Amino acid sequence: MTEVLLYILGIVLFALGLLVSIAWHELGHLSTAKLFGIRVPQYMVGFGPTIWSKKRGETEYGIKAIPAGGYIRMIGMFPPGEDGKIEARSTSPWRSMIEDAREASYEELKPGDESRLFYTRKPWKRVIVMFAGPFMNLVLAAALFFGSMMTLGIEGQTTKVAGVQKCVIKQSENREKCAASDPVSPAFRAGLKEGDQIVAFNGAPVGDWDTLSDRIRDTIGAATITVERDGQRVDLHPTLVSNKVPMKDEDGQVVQPLQYIDAGYLGFASKTEVAALSFGETTERMSDLLENGVQSVIALPGKIPGLWDATFGDGERAKDSPVGVVGAARLTGELMNVEAPPTTILVMFMNLLVFFNVSLFLFNMLPLLPLDGGHIAGALWESVRRHTARIFKRPDPGPFDVAKLMPAAYVVAGVFVCFTLLVLAADIVNPVRLT
């Protein structure tokens, strides 16, 4: 029963985090739109039927039933048509899409709004309004990440000795007990003990596990390790041997699925501890997170076949498979039942919200309508056209009519809906699970 309650608690906490992230995103749009004098009739978190709303000033604030997004409604998102009209009808379905989008952006036009339309603002102001939403997600992600890493910290391996292996066992073999034929491990033979802290390897200081691990792997033969034991420094002289050990990637992480290589071997287990990171270490990790996020977005189309096979075929769900809102909520529920210190669980939960907000930032910056990046691209293109015309002393081409791109926007939206439904199905029938 307790596990079920913790699972439900995890889902509720993720839902709240999701709502806050969406509301924070839309607040970026709202605040900058009002700053530049654009009228905003609505600020809504979610889609579907309205659960609650309240009007303050000229804006209605509300929460809707489906927490899958949000929006603010700004007056005059698109300029009038070439004939100067905002209401027109056409027998062409594509043209009708353009006219419908244009008309919708003027639905709540009131006397005096002529000077408060979105499209009448200078391109740089429109860029700021549309960029402010994704930027708020980036700010929230950074605040959560720096806050958790620099205060709570993360669990990691240290240079302290948690245990000494008595014999050399190939790490590719799935066993822990020594056989009579197994040679004595270099660490055990040299007298390394549990509780020792390794502070130097071959005379060079080692302050972290990654450095120590790399030097051990690069050494086969005689070595000198310096340990702190009972307040004193002691030199030990093991002779490292070659052994089958897990391969690491360029970031020092063990490659999955496991692959093994021949490398230097000492024979001890390092102690894991939770430690806060410095500002520099956190900044480096945040940079890596953004870089990996960009690479994930670029690689996303190539993951669709595997996602389809995992959903409707007999394929396995890859650990780096795209995960939607439902999948993230399930992961949070599982996280609440992990046997780990509360601070570790809290950090992992905050990191889930960090990944979600980074994803919101990156996706919304794609230069495609109806995403924020599409409107940014339209404003930038208008600025280029107008500056070019000014340089060559040509007539001002006027506002760039983003409404003409609405047919393409509907196609993009359709692709995103199909992808979202595929991820949703995968999250239900073959979810990614914590390991």
Side-chain angles (χ1 to χ4, degrees):
M1 184 64 180
T2 303
E3 291 184 358
V4 174
L5 292 176
L6 287 173
Y7 190 89
I8 295 173
L9 175 63
I11 293 176
V12 171
L13 289 175
F14 178 77
L16 290 174
L18 177 65
L19 286 174
V20 170
S21 301
I22 294 170
W24 186 246
H25 174 106
E26 299 304 332
L27 182 62
H29 292 313
L30 176 73
S31 58
T32 49
K34 286 182 174 289
L35 177 66
F36 296 134
I38 302 166
R39 190 164 79 82
V40 185
Q42 274 192 322
Y43 167 94
M44 290 289 169
V45 178
F47 296 112
T50 301
I51 298 175
W52 170 88
S53 71
K54 184 176 181 179
K55 190 166 186 177
R56 293 190 61 182
E58 61 186 16
T59 305
E60 177 191 10
Y61 300 85
I63 298 175
K64 291 182 174 287
I66 305 173
Y71 65 91
I72 66 167
R73 188 185 299 279
M74 292 183 286
I75 297 299
M77 286 289 291
F78 308 115
E82 295 177 359
D83 56 3
K85 297 180 181 180
I86 59 174
E87 290 189 23
R89 282 292 174 265
S90 171
T91 56
S92 166
W94 297 111
R95 186 67 192 173
S96 183
M97 286 183 188
I98 298 172
E99 293 161 353
D100 287 343
R102 198 188 315 281
E103 184 179 349
S105 73
Y106 290 87
E107 275 182 353
E108 300 179 54
L109 188 67
K110 295 181 179 180
D113 282 346
E114 293 79 9
S115 62
R116 304 188 64 190
L117 305 176
F118 175 78
Y119 86 89
T120 62
R121 296 300 178 263
K122 292 182 179 180
W124 67 267
K125 291 185 177 181
R126 278 179 277 153
V127 168
I128 290 176
V129 171
M130 301 313 298
F131 177 71
F135 180 68
M136 292 292 268
N137 288 121
L138 182 61
V139 168
L140 181 57
L144 290 172
F145 193 74
F146 276 80
S148 64
M149 293 295 103
M150 294 182 66
T151 56
L152 301 175
I154 56 172
E155 189 175 58
Q157 291 176 282
T158 68
T159 59
K160 291 182 180 179
V161 177
V164 178
Q165 183 70 32
K166 293 183 178 180
C167 63
V168 178
I169 300 176
K170 290 182 180 179
Q171 294 185 18
S172 57
E173 297 181 8
N174 188 23
R175 64 184 177 93
E176 296 181 358
K177 293 184 178 181
C178 294
S181 58
D182 293 330
V184 177
S185 77
F188 187 77
R189 186 184 296 276
L192 191 66
K193 296 181 180 180
E194 180 180 349
D196 286 347
Q197 169 124 26
I198 300 176
V199 295
F201 187 91
N202 281 338
V206 288
D208 60 83
W209 167 250
D210 288 337
T211 301
L212 176 59
S213 175
D214 289 343
R215 290 180 181 171
I216 291 173
R217 286 170 173 251
D218 292 340
T219 304
I220 297 176
T224 299
I225 59 174
T226 305
V227 303
E228 281 192 355
R229 178 186 300 170
D230 298 329
Q232 295 183 342
R233 292 201 170 192
V234 179
D235 287 337
L236 304 177
H237 304 281
T239 300
L240 277 65
V241 298
S242 177
N243 193 15
K244 291 286 185 183
V245 297
M247 179 187 294
K248 292 184 178 182
D249 59 23
E250 58 184 12
D251 295 322
Q253 303 298 314
V254 174
V255 174
Q256 297 290 344
L258 289 174
Q259 302 177 41
Y260 295 91
I261 59 173
D262 291 315
Y265 177 78
L266 182 56
F268 76 99
S270 65
K271 186 176 181 180
T272 58
E273 292 182 347
V274 176
L277 301 182
S278 67
F279 179 79
E281 291 172 328
T282 307
T283 301
E284 184 177 352
R285 284 177 177 262
M286 186 71 191
S287 176
D288 291 341
L289 178 63
L290 290 172
E291 182 180 345
N292 292 335
V294 171
Q295 292 174 353
S296 295
V297 171
I298 295 174
L300 200 57
K303 295 181 179 180
I304 292 178
L307 191 61
W308 179 275
D309 191 35
T311 307
F312 301 106
D314 55 0
E316 292 185 7
R317 184 82 182 268
K319 290 182 175 59
D320 61 348
S321 173
V323 175
V325 172
V326 171
R330 292 184 68 157
L331 287 172
T332 310
E334 292 179 13
L335 177 60
M336 292 298 113
N337 286 290
V338 170
E339 293 184 6
T343 53
T344 300
I345 294 176
L346 178 58
V347 169
M348 293 175 70
F349 171 69
M350 293 175 72
N351 282 343
L352 275 175
L353 293 181
V354 169
F355 299 148
F356 178 76
N357 278 276
V358 167
S359 297
L360 279 179
F361 169 74
L362 294 175
F363 271 108
N364 275 286
M365 289 307 296
L366 292 175
L368 301 169
L369 286 173
L371 301 174
D372 296 329
H375 291 282
I376 292 173
L380 292 175
W381 175 240
E382 177 184 321
S383 180
V384 169
R385 290 200 315 165
R386 286 185 153 178
H387 277 84
T388 301
R390 192 177 301 119
I391 291 172
F392 291 97
K393 297 182 179 180
R394 296 173 181 170
D396 185 353
F400 175 64
D401 192 1
V402 181
K404 292 181 178 180
L405 300 178
M406 288 312 295
Y410 282 114
V411 173
V412 173
V415 171
F416 274 113
V417 168
C418 291
F419 177 74
T420 301
L421 292 175
L422 175 60
V423 173
L424 173 63
D427 287 342
I428 293 173
V429 303
N430 192 359
V432 173
R433 298 189 181 279
L434 291 180
T435 55

